[in-house]
């Protein structure tokens, strides 16, 4: 697809895509966020959107948005709001999600290798089968998150809150859990820990 058009074959609203692109290119999400707050019931369809267009989206409001298969690698998404957003199979590798609100977001099968998630808030999020490998991984709040079959190889989970999280079948080889909170019993069943 052209650099300034949504990917064909995905459910991506061209008007919403153009509105977001305009703000991203201006590196100011104010107009997008005002529009989202004024239209909270509007379904946002940005499936298959690419980071070639959306590299600076800090503080953007994406709650309840459909971003399945979106390519947001290397995107600056610090402080963005993804509450109950669908990011299934999204490419978020090396993205900055510091302070992002990922509560109850769907990140099944998402590529999150090397993502920066300091102070990210993701309780109740679904990371089933997601790849969270790499040294740059810092997650703060994963209470009651589904991390079933997720890969955390060499991930740094320093001070992560894992209370009630489901780590069944997760790959935790080389992962660091220094000062991680696990009170309340995370489910750890048939994990790979070497």
């Amino acid at each position: 697809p052209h650099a300034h058009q949504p990917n064909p074959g995905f459910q991506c609203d061209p008007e919403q895509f153009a509105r977001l692109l305009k703000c991203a290119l201006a590196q100011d999400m104010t107009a997008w966020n005002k529009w989202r707050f004024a239209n909270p019931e509007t379904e946002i369809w940005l499936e298959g959107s690419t980071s070639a267009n959306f590299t600076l989206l800090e503080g953007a409001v994406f709650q309840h948005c459909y971003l399945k298969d979106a390519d947001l690698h290397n995107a600056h998404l610090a402080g963005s709001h993804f509450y109950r957003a669908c990011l299934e199979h999204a490419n978020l590798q090396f993205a900055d999600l510091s302070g992002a609100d990922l509560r109850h977001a769907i990140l099944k099968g998402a590529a999150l290798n090397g993502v920066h998630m300091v102070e990210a808030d993701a309780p109740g999020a679904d990371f089933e089968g997601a790849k969270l490998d790499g040294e740059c991984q810092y997650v703060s709040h994963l209470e009651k998150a589904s991390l079933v079959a997720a890969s955390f190889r060499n991930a740094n989970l320093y001070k992560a809150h894992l209370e009630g999280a489901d780590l069944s079948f997760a790959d935790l080889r080389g992962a660091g859990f220094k000062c991680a909170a696990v009170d309340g019993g995370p489910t750890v069943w048939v994990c790979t820990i070497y």
Side-chain angles (χ1 to χ4, degrees):
H2 185 271
H4 297 302
Q5 294 178 354
N7 286 329
F10 290 100
Q11 290 188 1
C12 188
D13 183 295
E15 185 179 311
Q16 294 170 358
F17 183 89
R19 183 183 305 271
L20 182 60
L21 177 63
K22 182 178 179 181
C23 293
L25 293 174
Q27 298 184 357
D28 183 0
M29 299 308 299
T30 305
W32 171 265
N33 291 344
K34 282 183 181 178
W35 177 76
R36 286 295 294 134
F37 289 126
N39 300 281
E41 300 302 317
T42 301
E43 287 190 348
I44 305 300
W45 290 91
L46 295 168
E47 289 185 358
S49 300
T50 68
S51 65
N53 300 323
F54 304 130
T55 55
L56 187 63
L57 300 170
E58 291 184 10
V61 176
F62 292 113
Q63 59 192 34
H64 299 282
C65 287
Y66 298 93
L67 291 155
K68 183 178 177 183
D69 295 303
D71 183 358
L72 298 167
H73 76 280
N74 293 320
H76 298 278
L77 299 160
S80 292
H81 304 273
F82 293 98
Y83 176 75
R84 294 199 184 275
C86 178
L87 292 153
E88 192 170 349
H89 300 288
N91 180 358
L92 291 157
Q93 294 182 89
F94 303 101
D96 183 1
L97 287 165
S98 300
D101 178 0
L102 294 161
R103 291 172 300 139
H104 303 285
I106 300 168
L107 294 126
K108 287 183 178 181
L112 293 147
N113 305 39
V115 72
H116 189 69
M117 291 177 74
V118 173
E119 296 298 321
D121 195 19
D126 188 349
F127 289 90
E128 184 177 334
K131 303 290 183 214
L132 295 110
D133 304 327
E135 293 295 325
C136 298
Q137 178 65 39
Y138 304 93
V139 180
S140 291
H141 297 279
L142 288 166
E143 297 96 335
K144 297 183 181 176
S146 173
L147 304 165
V148 175
S151 179
F152 288 92
R153 295 179 79 174
N154 300 313
N156 183 351
L157 295 165
Y158 178 73
K159 291 189 177 181
H161 291 269
L162 297 164
E163 298 94 332
D166 187 349
L167 289 157
S168 300
F169 302 100
D171 185 348
L172 303 170
R173 286 179 274 183
F177 291 91
K178 186 175 181 181
C179 301
V182 293
D183 294 330
T187 303
V188 181
W189 188 60
V190 192
C191 286
T192 305
I193 306 173
Y194 298 159

